[in-house]
Amino acid sequence: MELIKLIRPQQWVKNLFVFIAPFFAGILFQKDIFIDAAIGFIAFSLAASSIYILNDIRDVEADRVHPTKKYRPIASGKISNTLAIVIMLVFGISAVAIATLTNSYFTGILATYIIINVAYCFGLKHVSILDMVLISFGFVLRTVGGGVIVDVVLTQWLVIIIFLLALFLALAKRRDDILIFIESGNSIRKSSSKYNLEFINSAITMVSTTLIVAYLMYTISDEVVERMNFEYLYFTGLFVILGVLRYLQKTLVENDSSSPVRVLYTDRFIQLTLILWGLSYFLILYI
C-alpha cells in the first residue's frame, strides 16, 4: 500500500494527454496507433512516478508540516530514503528503456521531460511564475510526444490550449497553497512568498479567459474545420466554458483546488462536461 502511495498511479491520468494527438487526428482506434500511444503513456507514467519520488525526497521536511502531505510514505517515515531512491531509479530507467521501443524523437521528448522535472525538483520550483510555466510545459511535452510517436503534427492552437489549461490548473493549485499559508502560517513552497491572493485571482481570471478564447479560435480555424469537415465545432465550446466555470467555482468559492486530479475523480459536474465534450468529438471524428 505504501508503495502505491509513493508512485501515485492516480496521477497517471495526466499522461492521457499522450492520446490527444491521435484522437484529434481521427486515428486513435487503429490498432497499431493505439498500441504506440499506449507505450508512450506507460513511459510517461513511469517517468512521472520517478519524478514524484524525487520530489518527495527533496521536500520531505516541508511535507512534514503540510496538513495532508505529512502522510506521504517518505514524510511519515514508512518508506526510507534509500528504498525510495532505488524505486525512483528503477522507474526512471524503465521509462527511458520503454521509450526506446518507439522512435528517437519520442525518446528525446521524454528525456527532456525528465531533465526539466529534475531541474524543477532541484530548485526551479522555487522561482515564482517559472514554476507554473514548467509544469504547464510538461503537459505540452506529453501532448507533443503523443503526436511524435504516431507521426501527427499538432496545430498551434491545440498546443496553446494545452499550455493554458495546465497553467490554469497550476494557478488554482497555487491559490490553495496561499490559503494554507494564510491560515497556518506555514509556507508550503518558497515561491509562495512571491504570490498573494490578489495576484493569483487576477492571473486565474486572465488565463481562464484566454483559454476559452483560444479554444473558440481553434474550433473556427479554417484548417480545423476543413480537416474535421464540420463547421459547427464551436458548439463544443459550451462544454469547455461550463467546465472552466465549474473549476473557477471550486477554486474561488469553495476553496477546493489543491488537487486537480482529485477534483477530476470526485466532481460529477466536471466529469459530465468532459464526457459530453469527448463524446461530441468522437461522434464528429469517428461516426
Side-chain angles (χ1 to χ4, degrees), residues 36-109:
D36 287 342
I39 291 173
F41 171 81
I42 293 171
F44 262 107
S45 295
L46 293 175
S49 286
S50 69
I51 296 299
Y52 291 140
I53 297 172
L54 175 61
N55 190 63
D56 285 356
I57 294 171
R58 296 282 300 172
D59 283 357
V60 62
E61 295 302 325
D63 286 350
R64 284 172 178 160
V65 299
H66 191 280
T68 57
K69 294 180 181 180
K70 64 183 179 182
Y71 298 112
R72 288 178 174 176
I74 300 176
S76 64
K78 293 180 178 178
I79 288 184
S80 67
N81 273 10
T82 301
L83 178 58
I85 290 172
V86 172
I87 297 172
M88 176 192 70
L89 292 174
V90 169
F91 272 69
I93 294 171
S94 298
V96 175
I98 290 174
T100 59
L101 298 176
T102 58
N103 58 60
S104 59
Y105 296 107
F106 177 79
T107 304
I109 289 174

Side-chain angles (χ1 to χ4, degrees), residues 84-256:
I85 290 172
V86 172
I87 297 172
M88 176 192 70
L89 292 174
V90 169
F91 272 69
I93 294 171
S94 298
V96 175
I98 290 174
T100 59
L101 298 176
T102 58
N103 58 60
S104 59
Y105 296 107
F106 177 79
T107 304
I109 289 174
L110 182 73
T112 301
Y113 170 83
I114 293 174
I115 291 170
I116 288 176
N117 278 279
V118 169
Y120 176 88
C121 291
F122 275 88
L124 293 184
K125 65 181 177 182
H126 300 310
V127 181
S128 60
I129 299 180
L130 180 62
D131 60 333
M132 295 183 292
V133 169
L134 290 178
I135 291 173
S136 304
F137 188 58
F139 283 88
V140 172
L141 287 176
R142 289 176 173 97
T143 309
V144 173
V148 166
I149 207 170
V150 298
D151 196 25
V152 170
V153 179
L154 296 170
T155 68
Q156 66 270 34
W157 281 116
L158 196 54
V159 173
I160 292 170
I161 290 167
I162 297 300
F163 178 81
L164 290 172
L165 174 61
L167 184 58
F168 170 64
L169 297 176
L171 282 164
K173 190 172 183 178
R174 289 295 179 272
R175 187 179 188 277
D176 191 78
D177 292 343
I178 298 299
L179 291 177
I180 292 175
F181 174 70
I182 292 174
E183 293 174 3
S184 67
N186 294 321
S187 180
I188 305 304
R189 60 187 79 240
K190 292 181 181 179
S191 63
S192 296
S193 62
K194 300 296 183 179
Y195 301 132
N196 58 30
L197 279 181
E198 182 180 4
F199 171 80
I200 293 293
N201 290 344
S202 298
I204 287 174
T205 301
M206 178 191 72
V207 172
S208 61
T209 302
T210 309
L211 169 62
I212 292 173
V213 172
Y215 181 82
L216 293 176
M217 292 297 292
Y218 167 77
T219 61
I220 63 175
S221 64
D222 293 337
E223 175 190 354
V224 173
V225 171
E226 181 179 353
R227 176 164 54 83
M228 296 191 180
N229 193 29
F230 189 75
E231 60 181 319
Y232 302 109
L233 193 62
Y234 58 86
F235 283 133
T236 63
L238 173 63
F239 305 125
V240 174
I241 293 171
L242 290 175
V244 170
L245 286 176
R246 174 55 182 158
Y247 207 91
L248 283 172
Q249 186 181 48
K250 294 282 289 185
T251 302
L252 303 177
V253 180
E254 301 176 16
N255 294 325
D256 183 23

